[in-house]
Amino acid sequence: MNVDVTTLPGIGVRKEFSLSKVDRRMGVVDHRDGGTDLIFTRIGDPDTTVQIPLSEVEARTLASLLGAPQLVAQLREQHRELDGVSTRSLSMPPNSPYSGRRLGDTEMRTRTRASIVAVLRSGDVFASPGPDFVFADGDIVVVVGTNAGLDAAASILSDG
């Protein structure tokens, strides 16, 4: 995919690409002061640009949301030929009993026979988190196991 990069003197850098299913371009403006704007433009009409300023946390959260499906798709492809093995991304609910607690406290592997293979948080990927990894609200937890195990993992993260 081609990403067009345009220097905006005194402002920063605009990076955008064309979307394949709609007549739009999408991208970001990285400001010199560290700010980021999400942008949408109708192809061939820069006057239609919609520019949405994002805080650092919002930009990282959006990156996590966009990155999680790709990571899950990649793991699904790797497990495609393994009967009974699935991959699912689970959102850590805001009131999860495990928010602020260690992964080891969940006893996830023992209780579900499913494994947490990654956690996405604010644009960062924590691969193979250990038992001392501490969950936070909004984490995207990538789990591999049977469908029953994945259902049980979702229940543990939301209800304890």
Side-chain angles (χ1 to χ4, degrees), residues 79-119:
H79 299 135
R80 184 175 51 143
E81 296 181 15
L82 300 174
D83 284 339
V85 176
S86 298
T87 303
R88 194 180 299 169
S89 63
L90 306 171
S91 296
M92 181 68 94
N95 297 322
S96 170
Y98 291 105
S99 184
R101 292 179 56 192
R102 298 174 329 119
L103 184 154
D105 294 342
T106 66
E107 299 179 342
M108 187 69 72
R109 178 83 181 120
T110 301
R111 295 168 67 187
T112 67
R113 302 184 59 86
S115 297
I116 295 175
V117 297
V119 177

Side-chain angles (χ1 to χ4, degrees), residues 17-141:
F17 60 94
S18 296
L19 300 171
S20 61
K21 296 181 180 177
V22 293
D23 187 31
R24 302 269 181 193
R25 293 179 61 79
M26 178 178 181
V28 296
V29 173
D30 290 328
H31 291 267
R32 292 175 58 186
D33 65 2
T36 302
D37 292 349
L38 178 65
I39 57 172
F40 300 94
T41 303
R42 183 163 295 161
I43 290 177
D45 189 359
D47 291 337
T48 63
T49 298
V50 175
Q51 197 159 340
I52 303 168
L54 301 173
S55 70
E56 185 176 333
V57 171
E58 292 165 339
R60 287 179 181 233
T61 300
L62 179 60
S64 288
L65 294 175
L66 294 173
Q70 292 177 357
L71 177 60
V72 170
Q74 185 179 22
L75 290 169
R76 279 189 183 136
E77 180 63 24
Q78 291 173 352
H79 299 135
R80 184 175 51 143
E81 296 181 15
L82 300 174
D83 284 339
V85 176
S86 298
T87 303
R88 194 180 299 169
S89 63
L90 306 171
S91 296
M92 181 68 94
N95 297 322
S96 170
Y98 291 105
S99 184
R101 292 179 56 192
R102 298 174 329 119
L103 184 154
D105 294 342
T106 66
E107 299 179 342
M108 187 69 72
R109 178 83 181 120
T110 301
R111 295 168 67 187
T112 67
R113 302 184 59 86
S115 297
I116 295 175
V117 297
V119 177
L120 291 83
R121 177 186 300 156
S122 301
D124 294 322
V125 176
F126 299 92
S128 302
D132 291 332
F133 180 85
V134 177
F135 289 115
D137 286 347
D139 281 351
I140 306 291
V141 181

